[in-house]
mmCIF file of all heavy atoms in Angstrom:
data_model
loop_
_atom_site.group_PDB
_atom_site.id
_atom_site.type_symbol
_atom_site.label_atom_id
_atom_site.label_comp_id
_atom_site.label_asym_id
_atom_site.label_seq_id
_atom_site.Cartn_x
_atom_site.Cartn_y
_atom_site.Cartn_z
ATOM 1 N N PRO A 58 100.960 78.977 104.631
ATOM 2 C CA PRO A 58 100.351 80.067 105.485
ATOM 3 C C PRO A 58 100.037 81.289 104.661
ATOM 4 O O PRO A 58 100.692 81.552 103.642
ATOM 5 C CB PRO A 58 101.545 80.301 106.455
ATOM 6 C CG PRO A 58 102.266 79.006 106.559
ATOM 7 C CD PRO A 58 102.173 78.444 105.186
ATOM 8 N N LEU A 59 98.996 81.979 105.110
ATOM 9 C CA LEU A 59 98.569 83.241 104.449
ATOM 10 C C LEU A 59 99.526 84.370 104.831
ATOM 11 O O LEU A 59 99.697 84.624 106.050
ATOM 12 C CB LEU A 59 97.124 83.555 104.838
ATOM 13 C CG LEU A 59 96.528 84.825 104.225
ATOM 14 C CD1 LEU A 59 96.485 84.713 102.696
ATOM 15 C CD2 LEU A 59 95.124 85.049 104.785
ATOM 16 N N GLY A 60 100.101 85.033 103.877
ATOM 17 C CA GLY A 60 101.057 86.091 104.198
ATOM 18 C C GLY A 60 102.384 85.418 104.689
ATOM 19 O O GLY A 60 102.729 84.278 104.388
ATOM 20 N N PHE A 61 103.085 86.148 105.527
ATOM 21 C CA PHE A 61 104.388 85.674 106.120
ATOM 22 C C PHE A 61 104.225 85.408 107.685
ATOM 23 O O PHE A 61 104.925 84.574 108.152
ATOM 24 C CB PHE A 61 105.484 86.678 105.891
ATOM 25 C CG PHE A 61 105.865 86.871 104.418
ATOM 26 C CD1 PHE A 61 105.419 87.929 103.724
ATOM 27 C CD2 PHE A 61 106.603 85.880 103.796
ATOM 28 C CE1 PHE A 61 105.763 88.102 102.380
ATOM 29 C CE2 PHE A 61 106.919 86.061 102.453
ATOM 30 C CZ PHE A 61 106.489 87.136 101.756
ATOM 31 N N ALA A 62 103.365 86.129 108.335
ATOM 32 C CA ALA A 62 103.321 86.084 109.795
ATOM 33 C C ALA A 62 102.349 85.081 110.326
ATOM 34 O O ALA A 62 101.214 85.003 109.830
ATOM 35 C CB ALA A 62 102.957 87.483 110.327
ATOM 36 N N VAL A 63 102.733 84.268 111.307
ATOM 37 C CA VAL A 63 101.883 83.336 111.958
ATOM 38 C C VAL A 63 102.110 83.547 113.482
ATOM 39 O O VAL A 63 103.162 83.382 114.037
ATOM 40 C CB VAL A 63 102.246 81.881 111.638
ATOM 41 C CG1 VAL A 63 101.311 80.914 112.386
ATOM 42 C CG2 VAL A 63 102.104 81.635 110.145
ATOM 43 N N GLY A 64 101.035 83.988 114.145
ATOM 44 C CA GLY A 64 101.157 84.304 115.588
ATOM 45 C C GLY A 64 100.428 85.632 115.817
ATOM 46 O O GLY A 64 100.440 86.516 114.936
ATOM 47 N N ASN A 65 99.869 85.883 116.972
ATOM 48 C CA ASN A 65 98.909 86.941 117.163
ATOM 49 C C ASN A 65 99.407 88.350 116.867
ATOM 50 O O ASN A 65 98.944 89.030 115.964
ATOM 51 C CB ASN A 65 98.303 86.832 118.563
ATOM 52 C CG ASN A 65 97.576 85.502 118.736
ATOM 53 O OD1 ASN A 65 96.409 85.358 118.344
ATOM 54 N ND2 ASN A 65 98.238 84.488 119.294
ATOM 55 N N ALA A 66 100.331 88.851 117.714
ATOM 56 C CA ALA A 66 100.870 90.207 117.515
ATOM 57 C C ALA A 66 101.609 90.349 116.172
ATOM 58 O O ALA A 66 101.540 91.422 115.492
ATOM 59 C CB ALA A 66 101.752 90.633 118.652
ATOM 60 N N LEU A 67 102.310 89.243 115.739
ATOM 61 C CA LEU A 67 102.999 89.249 114.482
ATOM 62 C C LEU A 67 102.004 89.493 113.312
ATOM 63 O O LEU A 67 102.280 90.184 112.316
ATOM 64 C CB LEU A 67 103.752 87.975 114.289
ATOM 65 C CG LEU A 67 104.904 87.758 115.271
ATOM 66 C CD1 LEU A 67 105.432 86.264 115.154
ATOM 67 C CD2 LEU A 67 106.046 88.748 115.078
ATOM 68 N N GLU A 68 100.822 88.831 113.397
ATOM 69 C CA GLU A 68 99.766 88.973 112.394
ATOM 70 C C GLU A 68 99.222 90.322 112.393
ATOM 71 O O GLU A 68 98.873 90.866 111.301
ATOM 72 C CB GLU A 68 98.735 87.875 112.543
ATOM 73 C CG GLU A 68 99.268 86.483 112.250
ATOM 74 C CD GLU A 68 98.162 85.423 112.331
ATOM 75 O OE1 GLU A 68 97.046 85.684 111.969
ATOM 76 O OE2 GLU A 68 98.552 84.263 112.840
ATOM 77 N N VAL A 69 99.074 90.948 113.552
ATOM 78 C CA VAL A 69 98.566 92.306 113.654
ATOM 79 C C VAL A 69 99.520 93.243 112.950
ATOM 80 O O VAL A 69 99.144 94.117 112.178
ATOM 81 C CB VAL A 69 98.335 92.746 115.110
ATOM 82 C CG1 VAL A 69 98.035 94.238 115.220
ATOM 83 C CG2 VAL A 69 97.227 91.898 115.800
ATOM 84 N N ARG A 70 100.792 93.031 113.179
ATOM 85 C CA ARG A 70 101.826 93.911 112.539
ATOM 86 C C ARG A 70 101.736 93.769 110.984
ATOM 87 O O ARG A 70 101.829 94.753 110.265
ATOM 88 C CB ARG A 70 103.255 93.433 112.914
ATOM 89 C CG ARG A 70 103.682 93.945 114.236
ATOM 90 C CD ARG A 70 105.136 93.568 114.566
ATOM 91 N NE ARG A 70 105.686 94.248 115.662
ATOM 92 C CZ ARG A 70 106.772 94.953 115.677
ATOM 93 N NH1 ARG A 70 107.468 95.076 114.645
ATOM 94 N NH2 ARG A 70 107.199 95.535 116.817
ATOM 95 N N GLU A 71 101.497 92.561 110.495
ATOM 96 C CA GLU A 71 101.394 92.327 109.061
ATOM 97 C C GLU A 71 100.150 92.961 108.489
ATOM 98 O O GLU A 71 100.182 93.532 107.386
ATOM 99 C CB GLU A 71 101.390 90.828 108.776
ATOM 100 C CG GLU A 71 101.536 90.525 107.262
ATOM 101 C CD GLU A 71 101.956 89.075 107.002
ATOM 102 O OE1 GLU A 71 101.092 88.182 107.000
ATOM 103 O OE2 GLU A 71 103.233 88.880 106.816
ATOM 104 N N ALA A 72 99.023 92.952 109.246
ATOM 105 C CA ALA A 72 97.812 93.624 108.786
ATOM 106 C C ALA A 72 98.076 95.082 108.706
ATOM 107 O O ALA A 72 97.616 95.800 107.731
ATOM 108 C CB ALA A 72 96.691 93.336 109.768
ATOM 109 N N ILE A 73 98.821 95.689 109.672
ATOM 110 C CA ILE A 73 99.139 97.113 109.671
ATOM 111 C C ILE A 73 99.969 97.449 108.443
ATOM 112 O O ILE A 73 99.727 98.412 107.766
ATOM 113 C CB ILE A 73 99.866 97.507 110.987
ATOM 114 C CG1 ILE A 73 98.871 97.459 112.165
ATOM 115 C CG2 ILE A 73 100.468 98.917 110.876
ATOM 116 C CD1 ILE A 73 99.513 97.612 113.550
ATOM 117 N N GLU A 74 101.031 96.640 108.198
ATOM 118 C CA GLU A 74 101.876 96.842 107.052
ATOM 119 C C GLU A 74 101.046 96.803 105.698
ATOM 120 O O GLU A 74 101.354 97.530 104.759
ATOM 121 C CB GLU A 74 102.991 95.789 106.986
ATOM 122 C CG GLU A 74 104.113 96.065 107.937
ATOM 123 C CD GLU A 74 104.731 97.422 107.757
ATOM 124 O OE1 GLU A 74 105.168 97.777 106.692
ATOM 125 O OE2 GLU A 74 104.806 98.203 108.736
ATOM 126 N N THR A 75 100.053 95.933 105.669
ATOM 127 C CA THR A 75 99.235 95.776 104.446
ATOM 128 C C THR A 75 98.438 97.116 104.301
ATOM 129 O O THR A 75 98.263 97.553 103.205
ATOM 130 C CB THR A 75 98.282 94.566 104.601
ATOM 131 O OG1 THR A 75 99.094 93.422 104.773
ATOM 132 C CG2 THR A 75 97.381 94.416 103.395
ATOM 133 N N LEU A 76 97.886 97.641 105.346
ATOM 134 C CA LEU A 76 97.132 98.893 105.332
ATOM 135 C C LEU A 76 98.072 100.104 105.017
ATOM 136 O O LEU A 76 97.577 101.135 104.544
ATOM 137 C CB LEU A 76 96.363 99.179 106.598
ATOM 138 C CG LEU A 76 95.289 98.119 106.925
ATOM 139 C CD1 LEU A 76 94.614 98.398 108.333
ATOM 140 C CD2 LEU A 76 94.186 98.187 105.846
ATOM 141 N N ARG A 77 99.339 99.921 105.175
ATOM 142 C CA ARG A 77 100.318 100.921 104.790
ATOM 143 C C ARG A 77 100.761 100.744 103.318
ATOM 144 O O ARG A 77 101.562 101.558 102.868
ATOM 145 C CB ARG A 77 101.565 100.866 105.688
ATOM 146 C CG ARG A 77 101.415 101.387 107.088
ATOM 147 C CD ARG A 77 102.617 101.157 107.906
ATOM 148 N NE ARG A 77 102.662 101.928 109.201
ATOM 149 C CZ ARG A 77 103.513 101.714 110.098
ATOM 150 N NH1 ARG A 77 104.448 100.823 110.009
ATOM 151 N NH2 ARG A 77 103.414 102.443 111.225
ATOM 152 N N GLY A 78 100.319 99.702 102.721
ATOM 153 C CA GLY A 78 100.622 99.493 101.307
ATOM 154 C C GLY A 78 101.784 98.578 101.103
ATOM 155 O O GLY A 78 102.393 98.478 99.999
ATOM 156 N N ASN A 79 102.275 97.856 102.182
ATOM 157 C CA ASN A 79 103.444 97.059 102.119
ATOM 158 C C ASN A 79 103.187 95.576 102.498
ATOM 159 O O ASN A 79 104.056 94.866 102.972
ATOM 160 C CB ASN A 79 104.595 97.581 103.096
ATOM 161 C CG ASN A 79 104.891 99.010 102.828
ATOM 162 O OD1 ASN A 79 105.074 99.419 101.697
ATOM 163 N ND2 ASN A 79 105.011 99.861 103.893
ATOM 164 N N GLY A 80 101.948 95.157 102.197
ATOM 165 C CA GLY A 80 101.546 93.780 102.682
ATOM 166 C C GLY A 80 101.977 92.715 101.691
ATOM 167 O O GLY A 80 102.361 92.992 100.525
ATOM 168 N N PRO A 81 101.991 91.459 102.162
ATOM 169 C CA PRO A 81 102.348 90.375 101.237
ATOM 170 C C PRO A 81 101.356 90.250 100.129
ATOM 171 O O PRO A 81 100.166 90.538 100.256
ATOM 172 C CB PRO A 81 102.207 89.118 102.204
ATOM 173 C CG PRO A 81 102.211 89.683 103.564
ATOM 174 C CD PRO A 81 101.628 91.036 103.506
ATOM 175 N N GLU A 82 101.822 89.757 98.989
ATOM 176 C CA GLU A 82 101.072 89.719 97.754
ATOM 177 C C GLU A 82 99.791 88.911 97.895
ATOM 178 O O GLU A 82 98.695 89.308 97.524
ATOM 179 C CB GLU A 82 101.921 89.103 96.666
ATOM 180 C CG GLU A 82 101.359 89.214 95.283
ATOM 181 C CD GLU A 82 102.318 88.591 94.224
ATOM 182 O OE1 GLU A 82 103.581 88.917 94.291
ATOM 183 O OE2 GLU A 82 101.878 87.849 93.414
ATOM 184 N N ASP A 83 99.908 87.681 98.527
ATOM 185 C CA ASP A 83 98.702 86.773 98.610
ATOM 186 C C ASP A 83 97.681 87.387 99.579
ATOM 187 O O ASP A 83 96.476 87.351 99.311
ATOM 188 C CB ASP A 83 99.168 85.347 99.021
ATOM 189 C CG ASP A 83 99.902 85.272 100.337
ATOM 190 O OD1 ASP A 83 100.317 86.295 100.881
ATOM 191 O OD2 ASP A 83 100.054 84.131 100.866
ATOM 192 N N PHE A 84 98.164 87.976 100.675
ATOM 193 C CA PHE A 84 97.260 88.557 101.635
ATOM 194 C C PHE A 84 96.512 89.727 101.076
ATOM 195 O O PHE A 84 95.284 89.871 101.251
ATOM 196 C CB PHE A 84 98.026 88.921 102.933
ATOM 197 C CG PHE A 84 97.160 89.464 104.045
ATOM 198 C CD1 PHE A 84 96.066 88.754 104.443
ATOM 199 C CD2 PHE A 84 97.389 90.689 104.613
ATOM 200 C CE1 PHE A 84 95.229 89.283 105.472
ATOM 201 C CE2 PHE A 84 96.600 91.176 105.621
ATOM 202 C CZ PHE A 84 95.528 90.443 106.018
ATOM 203 N N LEU A 85 97.179 90.596 100.363
ATOM 204 C CA LEU A 85 96.551 91.700 99.739
ATOM 205 C C LEU A 85 95.546 91.251 98.707
ATOM 206 O O LEU A 85 94.414 91.795 98.694
ATOM 207 C CB LEU A 85 97.596 92.660 99.064
ATOM 208 C CG LEU A 85 97.059 93.876 98.352
ATOM 209 C CD1 LEU A 85 96.280 94.778 99.293
ATOM 210 C CD2 LEU A 85 98.125 94.624 97.571
ATOM 211 N N GLU A 86 95.872 90.253 97.912
ATOM 212 C CA GLU A 86 94.948 89.709 96.869
ATOM 213 C C GLU A 86 93.662 89.255 97.553
ATOM 214 O O GLU A 86 92.594 89.510 97.046
ATOM 215 C CB GLU A 86 95.624 88.584 96.098
ATOM 216 C CG GLU A 86 94.767 88.105 94.966
ATOM 217 C CD GLU A 86 95.315 86.985 94.149
ATOM 218 O OE1 GLU A 86 96.491 86.519 94.421
ATOM 219 O OE2 GLU A 86 94.599 86.379 93.275
ATOM 220 N N LEU A 87 93.773 88.531 98.641
ATOM 221 C CA LEU A 87 92.604 88.035 99.333
ATOM 222 C C LEU A 87 91.740 89.175 99.909
ATOM 223 O O LEU A 87 90.545 89.187 99.734
ATOM 224 C CB LEU A 87 93.009 87.121 100.487
ATOM 225 C CG LEU A 87 91.841 86.444 101.227
ATOM 226 C CD1 LEU A 87 91.021 85.562 100.348
ATOM 227 C CD2 LEU A 87 92.351 85.669 102.446
ATOM 228 N N CYS A 88 92.370 90.195 100.509
ATOM 229 C CA CYS A 88 91.647 91.332 101.018
ATOM 230 C C CYS A 88 90.952 92.071 99.892
ATOM 231 O O CYS A 88 89.745 92.459 100.106
ATOM 232 C CB CYS A 88 92.614 92.242 101.794
ATOM 233 S SG CYS A 88 93.190 91.621 103.352
ATOM 234 N N LEU A 89 91.601 92.280 98.811
ATOM 235 C CA LEU A 89 90.974 93.002 97.686
ATOM 236 C C LEU A 89 89.820 92.144 97.072
ATOM 237 O O LEU A 89 88.778 92.750 96.738
ATOM 238 C CB LEU A 89 92.012 93.241 96.597
ATOM 239 C CG LEU A 89 93.125 94.300 96.948
ATOM 240 C CD1 LEU A 89 94.192 94.328 95.851
ATOM 241 C CD2 LEU A 89 92.446 95.667 97.188
ATOM 242 N N THR A 90 89.949 90.817 96.963
ATOM 243 C CA THR A 90 88.877 89.981 96.427
ATOM 244 C C THR A 90 87.660 89.972 97.322
ATOM 245 O O THR A 90 86.546 90.154 96.902
ATOM 246 C CB THR A 90 89.437 88.564 96.205
ATOM 247 O OG1 THR A 90 90.647 88.553 95.368
ATOM 248 C CG2 THR A 90 88.381 87.705 95.550
ATOM 249 N N LEU A 91 87.903 89.674 98.634
ATOM 250 C CA LEU A 91 86.757 89.621 99.550
ATOM 251 C C LEU A 91 86.151 91.008 99.732
ATOM 252 O O LEU A 91 84.966 91.165 99.730
ATOM 253 C CB LEU A 91 87.282 89.143 100.930
ATOM 254 C CG LEU A 91 87.738 87.656 101.005
ATOM 255 C CD1 LEU A 91 88.391 87.418 102.322
ATOM 256 C CD2 LEU A 91 86.570 86.692 100.781
ATOM 257 N N GLY A 92 87.033 92.027 99.791
ATOM 258 C CA GLY A 92 86.550 93.403 100.002
ATOM 259 C C GLY A 92 85.695 93.870 98.783
ATOM 260 O O GLY A 92 84.647 94.506 98.938
ATOM 261 N N SER A 93 86.109 93.433 97.532
ATOM 262 C CA SER A 93 85.377 93.816 96.315
ATOM 263 C C SER A 93 83.941 93.176 96.418
ATOM 264 O O SER A 93 82.966 93.861 96.010
ATOM 265 C CB SER A 93 86.061 93.319 95.082
ATOM 266 O OG SER A 93 87.287 94.007 94.942
ATOM 267 N N GLN A 94 83.863 91.931 96.845
ATOM 268 C CA GLN A 94 82.558 91.275 96.971
ATOM 269 C C GLN A 94 81.703 91.944 97.966
ATOM 270 O O GLN A 94 80.465 92.079 97.834
ATOM 271 C CB GLN A 94 82.760 89.755 97.270
ATOM 272 C CG GLN A 94 83.518 88.974 96.202
ATOM 273 C CD GLN A 94 82.790 88.999 94.815
ATOM 274 O OE1 GLN A 94 81.594 89.006 94.769
ATOM 275 N NE2 GLN A 94 83.566 89.101 93.752
ATOM 276 N N MET A 95 82.291 92.388 99.076
ATOM 277 C CA MET A 95 81.601 93.094 100.189
ATOM 278 C C MET A 95 81.053 94.434 99.679
ATOM 279 O O MET A 95 79.881 94.809 99.964
ATOM 280 C CB MET A 95 82.490 93.264 101.413
ATOM 281 C CG MET A 95 82.788 91.934 102.098
ATOM 282 S SD MET A 95 83.983 92.117 103.465
ATOM 283 C CE MET A 95 82.949 92.766 104.770
ATOM 284 N N LEU A 96 81.839 95.154 98.885
ATOM 285 C CA LEU A 96 81.386 96.437 98.380
ATOM 286 C C LEU A 96 80.269 96.319 97.399
ATOM 287 O O LEU A 96 79.345 97.101 97.368
ATOM 288 C CB LEU A 96 82.563 97.253 97.751
ATOM 289 C CG LEU A 96 83.721 97.706 98.640
ATOM 290 C CD1 LEU A 96 84.646 98.661 97.923
ATOM 291 C CD2 LEU A 96 83.187 98.435 99.913
ATOM 292 N N MET A 97 80.365 95.268 96.575
ATOM 293 C CA MET A 97 79.309 95.076 95.593
ATOM 294 C C MET A 97 78.027 94.596 96.277
ATOM 295 O O MET A 97 76.894 95.045 95.954
ATOM 296 C CB MET A 97 79.710 94.012 94.535
ATOM 297 C CG MET A 97 80.800 94.531 93.569
ATOM 298 S SD MET A 97 81.075 93.439 92.124
ATOM 299 C CE MET A 97 81.884 92.027 92.932
ATOM 300 N N ALA A 98 78.169 93.726 97.299
ATOM 301 C CA ALA A 98 77.001 93.270 98.044
ATOM 302 C C ALA A 98 76.322 94.426 98.763
ATOM 303 O O ALA A 98 75.112 94.438 98.984
ATOM 304 C CB ALA A 98 77.388 92.178 99.051
ATOM 305 N N GLY A 99 77.157 95.371 99.186
ATOM 306 C CA GLY A 99 76.591 96.530 99.959
ATOM 307 C C GLY A 99 76.145 97.689 99.058
ATOM 308 O O GLY A 99 75.734 98.729 99.526
ATOM 309 N N GLY A 100 76.254 97.465 97.705
ATOM 310 C CA GLY A 100 75.753 98.520 96.749
ATOM 311 C C GLY A 100 76.638 99.696 96.620
ATOM 312 O O GLY A 100 76.270 100.688 96.046
ATOM 313 N N LYS A 101 77.966 99.574 96.996
ATOM 314 C CA LYS A 101 78.926 100.671 96.850
ATOM 315 C C LYS A 101 79.626 100.629 95.534
ATOM 316 O O LYS A 101 80.289 101.603 95.141
ATOM 317 C CB LYS A 101 79.949 100.611 97.983
ATOM 318 C CG LYS A 101 79.371 101.077 99.302
ATOM 319 C CD LYS A 101 79.186 102.566 99.378
ATOM 320 C CE LYS A 101 78.568 103.056 100.683
ATOM 321 N NZ LYS A 101 78.302 104.479 100.715
ATOM 322 N N ALA A 102 79.614 99.502 94.847
ATOM 323 C CA ALA A 102 80.333 99.319 93.561
ATOM 324 C C ALA A 102 79.540 98.459 92.670
ATOM 325 O O ALA A 102 78.892 97.560 93.091
ATOM 326 C CB ALA A 102 81.717 98.786 93.778
ATOM 327 N N GLU A 103 79.614 98.755 91.369
ATOM 328 C CA GLU A 103 78.929 97.960 90.340
ATOM 329 C C GLU A 103 79.719 96.756 89.865
ATOM 330 O O GLU A 103 79.146 95.788 89.430
ATOM 331 C CB GLU A 103 78.569 98.830 89.090
ATOM 332 C CG GLU A 103 77.559 99.991 89.369
ATOM 333 C CD GLU A 103 76.167 99.421 89.699
ATOM 334 O OE1 GLU A 103 75.771 98.437 88.988
ATOM 335 O OE2 GLU A 103 75.513 99.945 90.614
ATOM 336 N N SER A 104 81.016 96.842 89.901
ATOM 337 C CA SER A 104 81.865 95.794 89.385
ATOM 338 C C SER A 104 83.026 95.561 90.342
ATOM 339 O O SER A 104 83.341 96.417 91.142
ATOM 340 C CB SER A 104 82.473 96.164 88.015
ATOM 341 O OG SER A 104 83.349 97.274 88.124
#
């Protein structure tokens, strides 16, 4: 499973914790990787 939480409200809590800087390592890595690609595609970042 991605992160630690499986289940609707539990996953929302984990997303909130991630935005607070306390998210699971694998989930944060995925958000940073996908987010980086989105920022580059949108012309906000060069690398």
